[in-house]
Amino acid sequence: SAKSDGKARSQIFHAQMDIDYHYRQRLKADLREALRHGQLTLAFQPLVDIGTRRIVSCEALTRWNHPELGLVAPSTFIPLAEEMGLISEITEWVVSTATSQCSQWPGVVSVAVNISARDFRGMDLEAVIGRSLARSGLDPARLEIEVTETAVIEEHEIAKRLLTALAAKGIAIALDDFGTGYSSLSYLHALPFTKLKIDRSFVADIASNEKSKRLLTNVARLGRDLDLIVVAEGVETEAQLNVVLEQTQVQQVQGYFFSRPLPARDIAELIGRLNAPRRMGRANRRHG
Ligand code: C2E
Ligand code: MG
Ligand code: MG
Ligand code: MG
């Protein structure tokens, strides 16, 4: 009957909630040790310049390979780390590891790290970044900080002070997942952003839906009008890339079409291969 169906569904629902609850409790119990024992690693995903087709930056994305539970998604463990007050330690490890890796890549490629809203209060981010840059010898202009709309709105005053100090050192400041948070645009020029990363939900339908295409075009124009470098996230197919190329003022793309996030060793190899000096085409070689 409908009534017993409902009851069965509700039991399944509650059983699932218990599993989720116990899973999260288990992860919380293990996360601190995971950080200390090297179970966290960084994957790097390239941002490709549309004009040159070269990798200009790589985003550091934290991975947790749990010895018994397997890969845990950052969308699961980052919020847990925030709840536990562990996020600042993770951020410190990310900044230190990412700058050290980046300093070993061939050529001049930047590295981007994600900052949580909690980091604005929970740590001296400026000091942590300063130490990592000094240790790695990385030019500050090769470091990018990614923050979300939600984070800068929750911590507006402190975020403004910190991001302004970082920008003054030449560090790039990106607004991540643009379009998914609060729709207030006032912070766009109140804060020292240098880059706008348009969320992948704006890219998903552009190859099949005219309205989606126009929306992306206009969001990209907004970014360009504010003198920001505009990035399209989540480009998965050639059809999407073609729309981005033909219809928008986007300068950089990130997504599975060019590469998934890769382990450190593989990203260095990919940068070496894609950014290697290229031979000119026939027409250009005639005089050379
Ligand atoms: P994000 O900063 O927006 O990072 C981009 C996410 O989109 C990554 O997911 C990446 O794997 C995924 N992605 C890239 N290209 C494509 C694509 O073409 N299609 C699809 N469907 N997805 C794509 P990931 O690695 O699972 O990270 C999810 C989120 O977790 C990140 O979103 C970021 O908010 C957070 N995160 C990851 N690492 C860290 C970290 O070290 N610190 C903090 N605070 N947050 C992190
Ligand atoms: Mg990001
Ligand atoms: Mg993003
Ligand atoms: Mg995202």
Side-chain angles (χ1 to χ4, degrees), residues 59-61 112-114 146-147 176-177 197 233 254:
E59 179 173 5
L61 296 157
V113 296
N114 292 284
E146 296 194 0
V147 294
D176 202 359
D177 302 344
K197 298 186 77 175
E233 299 192 275
Q254 179 177 1

Side-chain angles (χ1 to χ4, degrees), residues 15-26:
Q16 186 58 45
M17 277 192 10
D18 283 348
I19 292 168
D20 292 348
Y21 176 78
H22 289 295
Y23 179 66
R24 278 198 302 272
Q25 288 305 111
R26 171 74 194 279

